Each structure stands twice: as C-alpha cells, then as structure tokens.
Amino acid sequence: MKGIAASPGIVIAKVFKFEKPDIMIDHNTISEKETRAEVQRFNKAKLKTKNQLSDIAKKTLAAMGKEESKIFDAQIMVAEDPMFQQQIEQNINDKRLKAEAALDLAVKTFSAMFESLEDEYMRERAADIKDVGLRILYNLANVEIVSLNHLDAQVVIVAEDLTPSDTAQMDTEKVRGFVTNAGGRTSHTAIMARTLEIPAVVGTKEITSIVKGEETIIVDGIEGVVIVNPTEEELNVFQEKRQAYIEKIKALEKIKQLPAVTRDGRKVQLAANIGTPKDVQGALKSGAEGVGLYRTEFLYMNRTALPTEDEQFEAYKAVAVAMKDRPVIIRTLDIGGDKALSYMNFPKELNPFLGWRAVRMCLDRPDIFKTQLRAILRASDEGNLAIMYPMITGMNEIHRANELLETAKEELREKDTPFDEDIKIGIMIETPAAAVIADQLIKKVDFFSIGTNDLTQYTLAVDRGNEKIAHLYQPLHPAVLHLVKRIIDASHRAGKWTGLCGELAGDERAAILLLGMGLDEFSMSAVSIPKVKQMIRNASFREAQKLVEQVLEMGTAEAVKDCLDKFLKIRGL
Ligand code: PEP
Ligand code: MG
C-alpha cells in the first residue's frame, strides 16, 4: 500500500489497531424547557475536558518538553473560546438541539472554516478542533477515553488518525511506528513521528479497513510504503533495507560535527537555509557551520500588517545569539513573484516572476527596506551577521541598496545605537544578467550566493512552479552550470568567495561538481547537511576539478547526470 512518507526509517512489527468507540448523536429536537439543562450539561463536560487537557499538558511538558505541551494549551483555548461557546449555546437555544448535536454542528462549522484556509499549517489546526470536540463528546456521554498508555508489546499503531491527545498519552517505549488513513506531511501525526524519530506513513486512506489487528506489518517511512502480512521474501528484503538504513544513519551521526574537508585537503563551509529562528536548533544538530540563507519573508507572511523594527530585531537577534560566532547571512525581503502579502497592495501582474519583487519592491519602498536594514544592523551587534540582497540584475540596484543601508547606519549612529561597522554585504546571483556581469558586480560586494532555484528558471525560461514543464526545469543543464562556474571564478579573481543556497547545494550528486568548480560555501536544508558532508569527506578535490572540465564540454543535462552517476559509482561514493 502506498501512502505519504511522513517520518523516515523502516520498522517490522505487529499491528495495534487503535479504534475509538462511535458515539451515536441524537438529532431529535428538545423543548424550550429542556434547553437550560442541556447548556449546563455541556458546560460540565467542557469543564471536565479542560481539566483533563491541563493534566495532559502538564504530563507532556514533563515527558516531552514545552513545544509539544503547547498543543494542549492551544486546545484549552479552543475549549474556552467564546465564539465556540456562543455557537453551541445558540444551537441548543435556537435550533433546540441536545448538547451532543449542538457540539457536533459547531465542531463541523469551525473545522470546515479552518480546512478552507490557504495556509497548510492553519488547515491542519482543524484537527485540534475535532480533537477537543471528540473529548467533550465522550465526556458528555460519560464514555471513557481510550488511551495508548498501556501497550503490552512493541507495536505499529494503525488508526484513522492520531490526535495530539492520543500521542501525548502514548507509551512511547512500545510504539515503533504509525500508519494512518488521514493526514499529510505537516499533520500532527507526522510531526509527532518525526519528533519521536519513529517511521510513519500517513494518508493511506484505507489501512484501517485492511487490518484487523495483530498482523505483521512493514512500515517504510522513506518510500511511504506499507506491507501487511509480508511474504518471507518481502521480510528479507526489508530487513536488509532496514539494516542498511540503520548503518547509514550511524555513519552520518559520526561525521556530523566534523569539518567538510576532502581527502586531499580542500575545506568548504556547509551551512543551513532557515526560515525562522526556530530552525536554528535543527541546523546546529545537523552540523551546520553557519546560516547561508535566512529567508526573512516568513516574518512578513501570515499576518495583517508589516512587522515592526523591534519585532524583526528580536528575530534576527535570536538567530545571531544562538549561532554564536558562526556566520549568519540574512537575506533582505524577497517578496512578490509567487509570494504576495495580503496587507500590501501588490499589483496584479501578467508575469509576477518578472515583476515587482524582492529588491525591486524594496527600492521603491525605502520605508519598508530601511526598517528591515536597521533591525538587521542592530542585531549585528549580537553575533556574526551579513546582509544579502536578492534578485539583483545590475550595478544600480546594489548602489541604491547600499545608499539606503548607509542612511540606515547613519540613523542608528545618531541615536548611539551600536552595530557592526564592518558588516559584510553580499548579493544573490539568481538572474542570468547578474551571472554574466559577475566580474563587475563583485567589485561592489563582499560575496556572492548563487540562487540556483531562480537562476535555473530565468536561464531556461521555465517557471519553477509549473508542473506541466517540470521536466524542463533542469539545474544541471549545461547553460546553468556554465553560469555557476563563471560566477565562482569571477569572485575568486577578485579575492572574494561564493556560496550557493538553491536546492542544488543539498543534492549529493551535484555537490561533487560544485566542489570541483571551487564553490566555497554550500547552504541547504539542515537535513541534507550530513549526507553532503559525507560525500565531500570521501571525495578528492583534484578529481572533482577534472570532472568539471569533462562536464562543461557536455550539451545536455542527461549527459551531465550520466557522467556524474558513473563518476560516483566507480569511486563507490
Ligand atoms: C534561489 O532562488 O535559489 C533561492 C535560494 O531563493 P528562493 O528559493 O527563496 O527564491
Ligand atoms: Mg530566489
């Protein structure tokens, strides 16, 4: 059976089918006289629910930590929400429904509202409303809530879905994996599985109708595959796969915190791309030597007004402090294109990717840009920060952005606010124009970071988000590779350095090529760091340089891929 791979790893164990009793809801109407008693009954069940949730929150805090226990604080807020309460009372008083039916209706209304939202995270919060609703419903019916805290053996939990309260009370020593009908990669079950580091496959749609309980089950959280009652042969195959996975993780664990240096002594920097200060811990755990790209646009999204200078300062400072003396490159606002802000009248454009985005917008709105620059400068006093401008196409943009930066610095000096006077300035090279005149641009800045996600789209004229032409989106197309090489060379000729923060940096196969081109810094999602580090530690710089010479003679992305595959295979990389 195929589902969504939600948490990596492979497990083979017995099924524990987790089912909750169905509660029949009586939809008959009641008389006016009975409404008061129903409201009281609801309030009593709500209070009981609240007490249970505070209890679970306390236990979760002790067992798993603050982040996990927050889920229950949020659930208590749902239970106590005045709009929720009002809706239920209305359903009882006006629609003359019994407490159970009134609750059911309110839960359906509110969860549907959340499910219709754009934001995936908000959509998943509908699960919290349903979870609280179910708990109140059980309390109304005086049905004991089944929990997973007494399990006899090591099991894989199979369920329709798992709610936060199910997983919080779970005996984590005994649970080896999850398989659910519902859920996506950011659903609660998936997040919890990754926190507990157990394999999980979610969104299988029908696993609960296939298993009865006690069957042997294989859960492959890498590929998103589930096998119920496997054959002898399948068991052997997956046992081997499981062993290989464990060995691989062990090997990566050992090298995580070691330097990224090739066998012949070429050292490069491996850094992390982050979206929020929360990502820093994961970055450090994976062995990041810095932050090569802090995408600040997330600070501006999912809200109703621009973030203030102080708010931004706090976020940048948090990252600067947590990373200590490691370098952190903060990219200035890269909004527009496919990322609009609801509170900022963005024009409707025929070609938003070629439109009013990133530094173009910032230069038109010095108020927004300078607020961000002041916040970054202030935070630069707390750590090792650098500033990077996105979507540069020419000298004038750098010139104008630096002018505004100078004004921001002057404003801080006037108020005696400290900042790093030597803060380094870099630009993203993500347009072919910038790549072609890299020799000129480098004179104005301290470093380059290549944004291959956009550079590929602009070089090949292929929209990076359009599925229909996804096969044409090829970061290993020789045209892109020649530009990448050109950019790196230009920076080196000027005695400066180049990083790369597009997805390509986290691709093990491409890493060898980029290494051979002389790339100085590779910035990627934290999870990719250990495997790229391993690749680099096993490689030879001299050989990688020779490989580049060969590859740059090629005419298609397919030929490049073949050549890379052969190179890696021969060397057992
Ligand atoms: C890029 O374009 O490669 C990049 C890193 O920036 P983003 O993906 O945020 O556009
Ligand atoms: Mg980009």
Side-chain angles (χ1 to χ4, degrees):
M1 209 170 176
K2 219 31 205 148
I4 298 164
S7 176
I10 293 167
V11 60
I12 304 169
K14 286 264 186 275
V15 168
F16 179 90
K17 194 170 173 186
F18 179 55
E19 285 171 301
K20 295 179 187 170
D22 260 340
I23 296 195
M24 291 296 286
I25 295 173
D26 180 357
H27 287 278
N28 288 324
T29 48
I30 52 174
S31 69
E32 193 185 345
K33 264 201 324 223
E34 290 167 301
T35 54
R36 236 184 98 181
E38 285 305 297
V39 172
Q40 276 174 0
R41 218 160 60 76
F42 170 74
N43 285 338
K44 213 173 125 198
K46 189 181 84 174
L47 185 66
K48 190 169 171 189
T49 301
K50 205 191 108 189
N51 291 338
Q52 287 168 343
L53 287 172
S54 324
D55 207 39
I56 303 174
K58 269 186 223 137
K59 279 189 195 145
T60 311
L61 180 65
M64 287 196 239
K66 205 161 163 199
E67 207 44 49
E68 279 72 24
S69 81
K70 269 198 207 147
I71 297 170
F72 302 102
D73 297 333
Q75 289 206 354
I76 294 173
M77 272 164 64
V78 171
E80 290 192 316
D81 187 84
M83 294 232 302
F84 189 55
Q85 173 82 21
Q86 197 187 5
Q87 178 91 57
I88 288 161
E89 284 187 26
Q90 260 176 20
N91 292 346
I92 296 176
N93 292 326
D94 304 348
K95 296 204 166 82
R96 297 282 165 81
L97 293 175
K98 292 192 80 170
E100 287 87 346
L103 168 73
D104 185 51
L105 191 59
V107 167
K108 284 195 177 119
T109 313
F110 279 95
S111 56
M113 213 163 78
F114 272 81
E115 272 161 3
S116 70
L117 295 177
E118 276 277 314
D119 186 301
E120 190 179 0
Y121 177 82
M122 292 305 276
R123 267 204 315 271
E124 301 283 1
R125 299 295 62 79
D128 284 324
I129 298 171
K130 288 184 192 159
D131 195 12
V132 174
L134 196 63
R135 188 168 277 280
I136 303 178
L137 188 64
Y138 279 21
N139 285 329
L140 273 170
N142 276 322
V143 170
E144 208 192 321
I145 294 163
V146 234
S147 87
L148 290 165
N149 53 8
H150 293 299
L151 296 166
D152 297 332
Q154 305 267 312
V155 290
V156 166
I157 307 281
V158 173
E160 167 61 35
D161 198 3
L162 290 166
T163 66
S165 40
D166 297 331
T167 46
Q169 296 178 79
M170 197 168 63
D171 179 353
T172 49
E173 301 276 299
K174 300 275 171 56
V175 178
R176 304 274 310 279
F178 296 149
V179 184
T180 58
N181 289 356
R185 259 195 69 79
T186 58
S187 65
H188 171 76
T189 315
I191 293 168
M192 204 46 140
R194 291 196 290 271
T195 308
L196 295 170
E197 294 181 8
I198 58 174
V201 175
V202 301
T204 61
K205 294 195 179 76
E206 49 175 5
I207 185 75
T208 54
S209 55
I210 288 167
V211 301
K212 290 195 179 69
E214 299 287 319
E215 297 92 338
T216 298
I217 189 169
I218 299 176
V219 184
D220 177 348
I222 307 162
E223 307 279 346
V225 171
V226 176
I227 301 176
V228 182
N229 288 327
T231 61
E232 197 67 32
E233 196 190 333
E234 282 165 336
L235 273 177
N236 288 338
V237 169
F238 278 87
Q239 235 130 20
E240 248 174 59
K241 209 173 158 190
R242 177 179 142 76
Q243 208 45 46
Y245 179 76
I246 293 171
E247 303 280 319
K248 193 172 147 198
I249 295 294
K250 267 197 210 148
L252 290 183
E253 199 59 46
K254 272 197 213 138
I255 60 139
K256 255 189 201 171
Q257 305 297 339
L258 297 176
V261 53
T262 62
R263 287 190 279 114
D264 49 352
R266 161 90 182 157
K267 162 112 179 59
V268 294
Q269 290 277 325
L270 296 194
N273 291 350
I274 65 166
T276 76
K278 271 200 306 206
D279 300 338
V280 170
Q281 286 322 314
L284 289 173
K285 234 175 96 180
S286 305
E289 296 165 281
V291 168
L293 168 66
Y294 178 177
R295 289 186 163 99
T296 57
E297 50 274 16
F298 294 105
L299 258 169
Y300 292 72
M301 286 152 82
N302 292 327
R303 48 187 300 146
T304 51
L306 286 162
T308 63
E309 183 182 319
D310 281 346
E311 237 176 287
Q312 294 190 53
F313 165 67
E314 289 302 333
Y316 306 150
K317 179 180 153 186
V319 176
V321 170
M323 292 301 289
K324 298 212 175 82
D325 49 3
R326 296 178 186 86
V328 173
I329 301 174
I330 304 193
R331 176 173 77 183
T332 58
L333 184 56
D334 183 3
I335 210 76
D338 56 346
K339 298 172 275 192
L341 297 177
S342 52
Y343 53 87
M344 255 198 70
N345 259 335
F346 268 92
K348 271 254 165 299
E349 297 175 307
L350 218 45
N351 288 304
F353 272 122
L354 306 182
W356 198 57
R357 61 169 294 201
V359 79
R360 301 172 178 180
M361 185 278 274
C362 286
L363 294 181
D364 282 350
R365 291 290 305 265
D367 51 327
I368 298 178
F369 195 41
K370 273 200 312 177
T371 305
Q372 180 173 39
L373 292 173
R374 280 193 308 268
I376 303 174
L377 285 170
R378 281 169 58 195
S380 71
D381 195 42
E382 313 273 348
N384 182 1
L385 299 189
I387 297 176
M388 176 159 78
Y389 308 133
M391 270 297 286
I392 292 289
T393 52
M395 301 289 271
N396 293 342
E397 285 157 341
I398 305 177
H399 185 69
R400 179 82 185 111
N402 278 340
E403 261 177 14
L404 289 169
L405 178 68
E406 265 321 305
T407 327
K409 285 183 178 173
E410 204 44 55
E411 285 164 5
L412 293 180
R413 284 189 201 110
E414 269 165 28
K415 288 190 188 153
D416 282 331
T417 310
F419 64 89
D420 176 5
E421 289 277 357
D422 293 324
I423 191 162
K424 298 282 183 276
I425 306 300
I427 54 172
M428 288 201 62
I429 305 280
E430 47 188 349
T431 63
V436 172
I437 58 162
D439 272 313
Q440 303 304 316
L441 301 179
I442 196 67
K443 293 180 191 158
K444 292 271 171 202
V445 294
D446 300 302
F447 66 90
F448 286 154
S449 186
I450 308 174
T452 43
N453 302 343
D454 277 319
L455 186 60
T456 305
Q457 105 164 327
Y458 294 130
T459 304
L460 304 179
V462 175
D463 178 345
R464 66 195 252 192
N466 184 342
E467 278 163 37
K468 203 166 167 73
I469 46 171
H471 61 288
L472 298 176
Y473 184 88
Q474 297 175 315
L476 292 176
H477 189 294
V480 180
L481 297 179
H482 276 276
L483 290 181
V484 170
K485 179 76 167 58
R486 183 186 179 96
I487 299 161
I488 299 171
D489 289 348
S491 71
H492 289 175
R493 275 195 292 273
K496 296 179 182 171
W497 62 272
T498 294
L500 192 150
C501 59
E503 288 306 305
L504 196 63
D507 175 337
E508 296 150 88
R509 185 164 55 177
I512 295 297
L513 198 59
L514 297 171
L515 173 80
M517 288 186 183
L519 189 71
D520 303 282
E521 180 232 39
F522 297 59
S523 193
M524 62 199 84
S525 327
V527 285
S528 303
I529 293 177
K531 57 177 208 255
V532 171
K533 188 175 278 185
Q534 190 180 44
M535 188 61 109
I536 286 171
R537 287 178 62 83
N538 289 335
S540 142
F541 181 47
R542 296 269 321 258
E543 282 181 11
Q545 280 176 312
K546 287 212 191 92
L547 174 73
V548 172
E549 276 171 30
Q550 245 182 323
V551 162
L552 290 181
E553 295 289 312
M554 290 173 171
T556 65
E558 288 73 21
V560 173
K561 282 182 212 159
D562 273 355
C563 176
L564 291 181
D565 283 339
K566 274 198 203 108
F567 177 89
L568 297 177
K569 198 166 170 200
I570 293 169
R571 287 160 186 82
L573 291 170

